[in-house]
């Protein structure tokens, strides 16, 4: 466990400082504390301190990765007056305040944001890169998965490109949105309905649980017919389709065989009048 924590701390040192200033600031503070306690702590407590340091830095790194979308954080970093640590605290505080405001005054909007924002992003990534990720997820030349070492050490996960997960998730979201039609009676019976809905949506979309996939494999797939029955249904249809196709090809060939004969006969008739055998061509009536 301490080896994983040490690898994470080494990977943090390789992060760009201009993009992750708070992570580097907290890491430097823990480094100074580590050097201060190096002569005072017993040797058997150093692995525990390394794990504690790695845990704290990982939480800061995770929050900072997500808080980069916060305009307050980007504005504070662009001024270069406020220290990065304070900018991080201000951005995190503004995010918490916004979530609290939405929870108190616009819980429906918060529910929709939780249920749409992240799944929409993952669905777009799945549409664009799902097939490529399936083809190139494994690199046979070096025998390891195609994941950068830095990302593995930092715990950065690749996008969830499982199409079954997101197709089933949007079905669940649509079902819950339909249930909102009866939100009034449900709220009278169960006042925490909105909070429970947010919890279900997070559980269904979180890559650690993949609740949508679990629901599909547990409840939906057993209700579907086996693939062999679908093959039996498709085979007669394919036979009828092939017979109809052969009949259409035969009719086209017959029409093609008859067409040159009529054209050739018309050419023969015109050549008789042009041969000069004493026969006069039929009179041509001029229309005035």
């Amino acid at each position: 466990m301490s080896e994983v924590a040490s690898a994470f701390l080494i990977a943090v040192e390789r992060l760009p400082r201009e993009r992750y200033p708070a992570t580097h600031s907290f890491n430097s503070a823990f480094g100074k504390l580590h050097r201060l306690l190096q002569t005072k702590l017993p040797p058997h407590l150093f692995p525990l301190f390394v794990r504690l340091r790695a845990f704290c830095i990982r939480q800061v790194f995770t929050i900072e990765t997500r808080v980069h979308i916060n305009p307050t954080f980007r504005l504070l970093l662009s001024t270069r007056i406020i220290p990065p640590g304070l900018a991080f605290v201000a951005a995190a505080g503004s995010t918490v305040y916004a979530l609290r405001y939405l929870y108190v005054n616009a819980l429906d909007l918060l529910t929709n944001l939780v249920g749409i924002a992240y799944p929409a992003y993952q669905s777009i990534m799945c549409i664009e890169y799902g097939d490529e990720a399936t083809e190139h997820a494994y690199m046979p030349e070096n025998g390891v998965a195609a994941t950068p070492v830095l990302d593995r050490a930092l715990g950065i996960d690749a996008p969830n490109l499982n199409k079954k997960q997101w197709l089933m998730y949007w079905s669940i979201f649509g079902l819950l949105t339909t249930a909102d039609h009866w939100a009034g009676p449900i709220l009278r019976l169960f006042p925490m309905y909105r909070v429970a809905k947010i919890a279900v949506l997070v559980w269904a979309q979180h890559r650690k649980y993949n609740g949508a996939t679990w629901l599909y494999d547990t409840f939906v797939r057993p209700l579907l017919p086996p693939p062999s029955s679908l093959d039996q249904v498709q085979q007669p249809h394919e036979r009828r389709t092939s017979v109809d196709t052969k009949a259409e090809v035969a009719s086209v060939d017959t029409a093609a065989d008859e067409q040159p004969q009529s054209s050739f006969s018309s050419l023969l008739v015109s050549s008789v009048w042009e041969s000069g055998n004493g026969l006069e061509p039929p009179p041509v009536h001029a229309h005035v």
Side-chain angles (χ1 to χ4, degrees), residues 5-279:
S6 300
F8 170 76
L9 294 176
I10 294 173
V12 167
E13 297 291 340
R14 299 169 55 185
L15 290 173
R17 186 175 296 272
E18 63 277 1
R19 180 168 176 80
Y20 300 97
T23 302
H24 280 281
S25 299
F26 280 91
N27 189 34
S28 300
F30 270 99
K32 295 177 181 178
L33 182 61
H34 181 270
R35 289 189 295 270
L36 180 63
L37 298 177
Q38 190 171 5
T39 58
K40 299 180 180 180
L41 281 179
H44 63 277
L45 293 181
F46 275 109
L48 181 61
F49 179 80
V50 171
R51 295 178 186 177
L52 177 63
R53 176 184 176 184
F55 173 78
C56 296
I57 298 302
R58 188 184 296 276
Q59 301 308 314
V60 174
F61 170 74
T62 302
I63 297 175
E64 189 173 20
T65 302
R66 287 163 174 76
V67 85
H68 268 286
I69 63 176
N70 191 310
T72 305
F73 184 68
R74 294 200 301 266
L75 178 62
L76 294 176
L77 286 182
S78 62
T79 57
R80 298 184 180 276
I81 299 176
I82 302 177
L86 294 179
F88 169 77
V89 172
S94 64
T95 302
V96 172
Y97 175 78
L99 292 177
R100 181 182 178 278
Y101 176 82
L102 290 175
Y103 178 79
V104 174
N105 300 297
L107 190 55
D108 291 338
L109 178 60
L110 178 61
T111 304
N112 291 330
L113 289 177
V114 172
I116 293 176
Y118 177 74
Y121 165 75
Q122 292 286 0
S123 300
I124 294 173
M125 298 295 290
C126 182
I127 293 171
E128 290 295 327
Y129 307 110
D131 298 333
E132 297 179 5
T134 302
E135 295 175 359
H136 304 291
Y138 189 82
M139 297 178 63
E141 62 269 15
N142 54 14
V144 296
T147 305
V149 178
L150 180 61
D151 291 350
R152 289 203 305 270
L154 294 174
I156 300 175
D157 297 322
N160 190 351
L161 304 180
N162 188 353
K163 295 181 179 179
K164 178 174 67 174
Q165 159 72 14
W166 297 116
L167 289 173
M168 186 61 191
Y169 172 81
W170 290 116
S171 301
I172 296 171
F173 182 80
L175 182 63
L176 294 177
T177 304
T178 305
D180 288 343
H181 178 72
W182 299 276
I186 293 176
L187 286 173
R188 285 193 294 269
L189 296 175
F190 183 44
M192 299 297 291
Y193 165 71
R194 300 292 187 191
V195 179
K197 180 180 177 181
I198 292 176
V200 170
L201 292 176
V202 172
W203 172 77
Q205 66 185 252
H206 200 285
R207 66 181 306 118
K208 182 179 180 180
Y209 307 105
N210 284 332
T213 302
W214 181 83
L215 289 175
Y216 178 84
D217 294 335
T218 305
F219 298 103
V220 179
R221 177 173 285 180
L223 301 177
L224 300 177
S228 58
S229 61
L230 295 178
D231 296 338
Q232 294 176 1
V233 173
Q234 291 177 355
Q235 286 176 0
H237 175 71
E238 292 177 355
R239 293 197 203 99
R240 290 194 300 269
T241 304
S242 62
V243 170
D244 296 339
T245 304
K246 291 179 181 178
E248 292 178 0
V249 172
S251 62
V252 171
D253 292 340
T254 304
D257 293 339
E258 294 176 354
Q259 183 66 25
Q261 294 178 1
S262 59
S263 302
F264 182 70
S265 61
S266 62
L267 292 175
L268 288 177
V269 172
S270 61
S271 64
V272 170
W273 303 111
E274 295 173 357
S275 60
N277 292 329
L279 299 177

